[in-house]
Amino acid sequence: CFEMDQILSTAPSHPQRLSREGLLLIKSFAGFRPQAVRRRDGVLTIGYGHSLTARPGVVVTETEAELLLLYDLIPVIEAIHAHVKAPLNQHQFDALASFVLSIGVERFTASDVLDHLNRLEPQAAAEALTGWPDRVPPPVDAPYRRRSAERALFEINPGQTADLSQILTAPI
């Protein structure tokens, strides 16, 4: 089991942990909601998409919401470590964390993205990312924008810094 400090790393030499840029990417697509709201599928969420403890009338700060997000990332990080056998650079790891959080661990473990990764086909895995919708019906273009951003991050040269403004505006 992972501790909270094992989920988030600011050091680029730890490619098995989510970087600050990866966390910011996830937060940018989740959006902050200080009060519990119902998703289109009827599930209550709060903060950055947290649903486990969301209840009507509950209010959270951005700091509390980030902690809830880090908690929600624990099974995501565990799934990546357990199922991805190929080496990943930090950008690839961050993109996968966003992807897995979005579609769910169960769908990830059965995905062609994982199959391509484990066959050491990173380009095919990057291409496969764009074919996966979120598990919740999002706004019409949201899954495409998110998958495009994840793919753009996944494909960045490991020696390059991830520029979130360019990643978030990657062509669909």
Side-chain angles (χ1 to χ4, degrees), residues 63-85:
T63 301
E64 292 166 333
E66 188 169 303
L67 289 172
L68 290 171
L69 176 57
L70 291 175
Y71 175 80
D72 291 342
L73 283 164
I74 292 171
V76 168
I77 303 302
E78 288 175 342
I80 293 170
H81 284 288
H83 297 286
V84 177
K85 305 305 178 201

Side-chain angles (χ1 to χ4, degrees), residues 20-83:
R20 192 76 184 154
E21 290 77 21
L23 184 65
L24 291 173
L25 176 71
I26 291 168
K27 288 170 63 174
S28 72
F29 282 104
F32 173 66
R33 290 170 184 80
Q35 297 180 0
V37 296
R38 289 210 183 273
R39 294 189 311 213
R40 290 174 29 184
D41 66 353
V43 173
L44 276 174
T45 65
I46 195 164
Y48 295 105
H50 177 77
S51 61
L52 184 64
T53 61
R55 303 288 180 266
V58 172
V59 177
V60 295
T61 66
E62 284 192 61
T63 301
E64 292 166 333
E66 188 169 303
L67 289 172
L68 290 171
L69 176 57
L70 291 175
Y71 175 80
D72 291 342
L73 283 164
I74 292 171
V76 168
I77 303 302
E78 288 175 342
I80 293 170
H81 284 288
H83 297 286

Side-chain angles (χ1 to χ4, degrees), residues 9 55 71 73 87 90 111 113 115 137 158:
S9 171
R55 303 288 180 266
Y71 175 80
L73 283 164
Q90 186 65 59
S111 74
V113 173
D115 290 341

Side-chain angles (χ1 to χ4, degrees), residues 13-168:
S13 61
H14 298 288
Q16 297 304 308
R17 297 179 182 173
L18 187 68
S19 74
R20 192 76 184 154
E21 290 77 21
L23 184 65
L24 291 173
L25 176 71
I26 291 168
K27 288 170 63 174
S28 72
F29 282 104
F32 173 66
R33 290 170 184 80
Q35 297 180 0
V37 296
R38 289 210 183 273
R39 294 189 311 213
R40 290 174 29 184
D41 66 353
V43 173
L44 276 174
T45 65
I46 195 164
Y48 295 105
H50 177 77
S51 61
L52 184 64
T53 61
R55 303 288 180 266
V58 172
V59 177
V60 295
T61 66
E62 284 192 61
T63 301
E64 292 166 333
E66 188 169 303
L67 289 172
L68 290 171
L69 176 57
L70 291 175
Y71 175 80
D72 291 342
L73 283 164
I74 292 171
V76 168
I77 303 302
E78 288 175 342
I80 293 170
H81 284 288
H83 297 286
V84 177
K85 305 305 178 201
L88 298 172
N89 66 48
Q90 186 65 59
H91 302 312
Q92 292 169 330
F93 188 86
D94 291 346
L96 279 180
S98 175
F99 175 70
V100 176
L101 183 67
S102 173
I103 71 162
V105 169
E106 188 174 314
R107 290 177 71 203
F108 170 66
T109 59
S111 74
D112 54 346
V113 173
L114 179 61
D115 290 341
H116 287 301
L117 282 171
N118 287 337
R119 287 195 306 254
L120 302 177
E121 301 168 347
Q123 187 57 45
E127 290 170 15
L129 277 172
T130 57
W132 282 85
D134 290 345
R135 63 179 147 191
V136 176
V140 175
D141 67 341
Y144 303 108
R145 287 186 296 119
R146 183 173 188 148
R147 295 292 103 80
S148 294
E150 290 163 350
R151 181 178 180 175
L153 178 58
F154 190 92
E155 292 179 328
I156 291 177
N157 183 313
Q160 254 183 301
T161 302
D163 180 352
L164 284 180
S165 63
Q166 288 183 338
I167 292 167
L168 292 172

